[in-house]
Amino acid sequence: MKVINLHQEENEIIALAVKNNRQAQQCIYSKYSPKMLSVCRQYIKDLQLAEDVMITAFMKVFVNLGRFENKGSFEGWIRRTMINECISFIRVQKKVHFIEDSVGFEEVDSEADIQFSIEDIQSLIDGLPDGYKIIFNLFVIEGYKHKEIGSMLGINEGTSKSQFAHARRILKNQINILKNKEKYS
């Protein structure tokens, strides 16, 4: 049994994994699964469901590994697969609908004097309706443009902007509630 050196070049490990080398696949999984579980968790509140989606997405990664063309980062390619699988899961489970309207952006005042824990922030994001949450994560966390988000979700760019504006407004209100609780406790 040949052991794969964890410090082998990523391209060599990918080439072995393409040939269904289980050790190479395990190496890739071990390296990227913690980050990818975090990505899935951003979209799916339940940790066990997020883990299930991540495992399904990794299966797709390994099935499609031969299509990776070394254009851009390998981690980014895996991440996109994770995001797409999360969106598919949410659509199947919840039948997310995006409502088109013409609400524009509003600036959010930021106050640096109050800090929130990661758990508080994740809880606030988890509290968003699924459509808002998906677009918020894609725009803020993943850095996609509204045009790209629209293309990914099959909606127009204006709908993405509108959903994002609604998400920001909800989060701003929730942050104000938390700030008030901290002031009076």
Side-chain angles (χ1 to χ4, degrees):
M1 181 163 134
K2 182 180 173 185
V3 177
I4 296 176
N5 182 354
L6 291 176
H7 300 290
Q8 274 182 305
E9 288 294 318
E10 189 172 72
N11 291 340
E12 292 174 30
I13 294 172
I14 293 169
L16 289 171
V18 166
K19 296 176 183 174
N20 291 322
N21 180 301
R22 299 294 180 225
Q23 292 173 324
Q25 291 173 343
Q26 180 60 44
C27 185
I28 291 169
Y29 181 85
S30 295
K31 180 176 180 179
Y32 293 107
S33 63
K35 284 183 184 178
M36 296 308 132
L37 180 57
S38 176
V39 168
C40 292
R41 177 58 190 83
Q42 290 170 352
Y43 294 87
I44 301 168
K45 185 175 184 175
D46 183 281
L47 182 60
Q48 289 177 330
L49 289 176
E51 188 171 15
D52 288 347
V53 170
M54 179 195 70
I55 290 168
T56 301
F58 263 111
M59 292 302 295
K60 289 183 179 182
V61 164
F62 293 131
V63 165
N64 295 301
L65 202 52
R67 295 182 183 167
F68 177 66
E69 300 173 347
N70 286 320
K71 294 179 181 173
S73 78
F74 183 58
E75 181 178 336
W77 184 78
I78 294 173
R79 185 180 195 99
R80 179 143 189 150
T81 302
M82 295 293 153
I83 292 167
N84 289 336
E85 189 63 26
C86 288
I87 291 169
S88 294
F89 173 81
I90 292 168
R91 279 189 172 149
V92 168
Q93 296 297 316
K94 309 244 179 150
K95 305 209 182 329
V96 175
H97 299 285
F98 298 97
I99 301 167
E100 291 191 38
D101 61 24
S102 59
V103 175
F105 285 98
E106 63 180 57
E107 288 301 315
V108 176
D109 298 327
S110 62
E111 295 182 22
D113 57 342
I114 297 184
Q115 293 185 355
F116 298 104
S117 69
I118 292 172
E119 291 80 18
D120 287 338
I121 294 167
Q122 186 64 56
S123 178
L124 291 175
I125 294 170
D126 284 341
L128 291 171
D130 287 328
Y132 295 173
K133 180 178 176 179
I134 290 169
I135 289 173
F136 182 85
N137 283 331
L138 289 172
F139 186 76
V140 174
I141 309 295
E142 306 300 336
Y144 288 105
K145 305 282 186 242
H146 287 292
K147 186 173 185 174
E148 295 171 303
I149 294 169
S151 177
M152 288 173 73
L153 300 177
I155 60 176
N156 68 43
E157 183 178 349
T159 300
S160 178
K161 289 178 180 180
S162 171
Q163 299 284 296
F164 177 69
H166 287 299
R168 282 180 44 171
R169 188 170 20 266
I170 290 170
L171 290 173
K172 181 179 177 183
N173 290 337
Q174 293 301 317
I175 288 169
N176 287 335
I177 290 169
L178 280 178
K179 285 179 184 178
N180 289 334
K181 281 182 182 178
E182 284 194 17
K183 279 184 190 177
Y184 299 111
S185 54

